[in-house]
Amino acid sequence: MNFRLLFTRMLAIFGLVLACGGHAFAEPLRIAGSVCTAQPAEPGEAVEPQSGRKFYLEFPCDLQPGEKVNFILSMHGAGGTGARMRNYFPTGDYLQRYRLVVATPTSATTSRIWNGEADDVILQRIVDLVFENFGKANIKTFWLAGHSQGGITATRLVCTPFFANKADGLLSMSGGRIGKVEYVPDFFGPRPPGVTKWPPGAPDPGAKPSVEPTPSCDFSFIFTTGEKEITGLPETSPLAQKFACGARVRKADIVDTQPKAGTSEVFEYSKCGGGRLVADMFRRGKSHGDGILVNETEALLRMMLSAPSGKVQAK
């Protein structure tokens, strides 16, 4: 349903409430089948109409007609679900503060791995649905975000014809970094005695989970990783070179104490061409499956919203 039409109906209901002396109650804001206040069970309440696929769609409950919003398409890792991704990267805590619209689908494959044209088409349709219901002109910024294989998928998609002129940025959380990094031998946790490859099918120790060559399109890029995932964070970045950035600068550490403790080091490349953001977050003491903490999440959102925006409106 078109957002403007929906809001008009809500105003009519509100008028009826006033006329009846407050004895009636307006329905909660609902967009594409999802109520802003809901905490729906897997796979979410929103519906992509052509396929019937359900997904999570979250947005500010006090959203006003014509208000600018910041859109994130959030993708889980291999074997994950939309529900797990919402817990891993808890953007739902910041919908109101940062005027976020967050779509979090689940892969349709049996293994729940983003793979192939079917998933790609659904992701595109979800983006189109958000543009239609919230108003394309109201999308202030649009970021792809993903954990692990979801981050690798986002990196694969960002320069494809559909996304290249829409996505302002890419957040890869323990996924592919643009530029080489090396896994630690126990990337997936301690291996059983006598097992040389853990888990079965995992990359060999020392494998380089990187994205090469440098992407052909322009976008801002943030990479997060745990200290227990890689042998060390590189001091260079192909994207920083592409944008002729200056020196890498260490920012203030991000410290979390509740509900879990954690300290993250943040590095940004200075004076990038076009104001682009290229940054790394190195999460001390964290492993591959450790979720993004509260202050880490807010720090990432602030970085994302500080980057250049407007590809959607410019198209």
Side-chain angles (χ1 to χ4, degrees):
M1 179 182 294
N2 183 277
F3 177 70
R4 295 183 180 85
L5 176 59
L6 178 62
F7 190 79
T8 301
R9 292 180 179 178
M10 288 184 62
L11 286 179
I13 294 172
F14 183 67
L16 179 62
V17 172
L18 294 179
C20 295
H23 295 294
F25 294 93
E27 295 181 358
L29 182 59
R30 182 182 291 272
I31 297 176
S34 181
V35 178
C36 65
T37 56
Q39 295 297 321
E42 184 72 45
E45 289 185 322
V47 180
E48 193 289 302
Q50 295 186 58
S51 64
R53 287 270 297 279
K54 290 187 174 182
F55 63 99
Y56 294 100
L57 182 64
E58 300 169 277
F59 47 90
C61 291
D62 59 348
L63 193 64
Q64 302 299 308
E67 182 180 353
K68 303 295 184 182
V69 294
N70 303 295
F71 175 33
I72 301 173
L73 178 62
S74 188
M75 288 172 277
H76 61 75
T81 62
R84 288 172 61 180
M85 185 60 187
R86 290 173 72 238
N87 290 328
Y88 176 87
F89 184 40
T91 53
D93 295 340
Y94 297 101
L95 299 174
Q96 310 292 123
R97 185 178 303 176
Y98 295 109
R99 316 313 288 169
L100 302 179
V101 172
V102 184
T104 312
T106 298
S107 169
T109 63
T110 302
S111 57
R112 297 197 302 275
I113 293 176
W114 302 104
N115 185 26
E117 183 179 356
D119 271 336
D120 289 359
V121 169
I122 292 298
L123 292 172
Q124 293 173 17
R125 288 177 179 172
I126 288 174
V127 171
D128 285 339
L129 180 148
V130 169
F131 288 178
E132 177 185 353
N133 283 273
F134 292 88
K136 186 176 176 181
N138 299 327
I139 306 297
K140 181 179 179 181
T141 189
F142 170 36
W143 277 66
L144 297 174
H147 169 240
S148 191
Q149 195 259 343
I152 294 172
T153 298
T155 308
R156 172 178 64 81
L157 292 175
V158 69
C159 285
T160 57
F162 180 86
F163 288 99
N165 59 2
K166 298 181 181 69
D168 295 299
L170 165 63
L171 169 61
S172 182
M173 295 168 280
S174 297
R177 183 184 190 267
I178 300 171
K180 294 179 179 178
V181 294
E182 294 187 358
Y183 288 116
V184 297
D186 292 334
F187 176 79
F188 290 99
R191 69 187 66 191
V195 175
T196 57
K197 196 170 186 180
W198 175 251
D204 291 324
K208 296 175 173 57
S210 59
V211 180
E212 300 288 354
T214 303
S216 58
C217 65
D218 293 345
F219 56 91
S220 293
F221 180 65
I222 305 172
F223 175 70
T224 73
T225 190
E227 182 181 19
K228 298 180 180 180
E229 297 183 81
I230 63 175
T231 58
L233 189 65
E235 296 182 0
T236 60
S237 162
L239 267 185
Q241 295 174 359
K242 176 179 180 178
F243 297 140
C245 303
R248 190 182 75 162
V249 178
R250 181 170 175 178
K251 301 293 187 176
D253 290 352
I254 308 300
V255 179
D256 277 271
T257 57
Q258 298 293 333
K260 294 182 180 180
T263 298
S264 292
E265 299 172 0
V266 177
F267 302 88
E268 290 186 22
Y269 292 87
S270 61
K271 301 178 181 178
C272 295
R276 292 290 177 191
L277 173 70
V278 181
D280 294 303
M281 177 182 283
F282 192 58
R283 308 176 66 215
R284 288 293 182 185
K286 299 303 180 184
S287 299
H288 187 67
D290 289 327
I292 306 296
L293 302 179
V294 173
N295 291 341
E296 290 174 334
T297 299
E298 184 166 23
L300 289 170
L301 290 173
R302 285 178 174 175
M303 284 192 283
M304 294 161 73
L305 300 186
S306 72
S309 60
K311 273 193 182 181
V312 173
Q313 296 92 329
K315 181 183 176 184

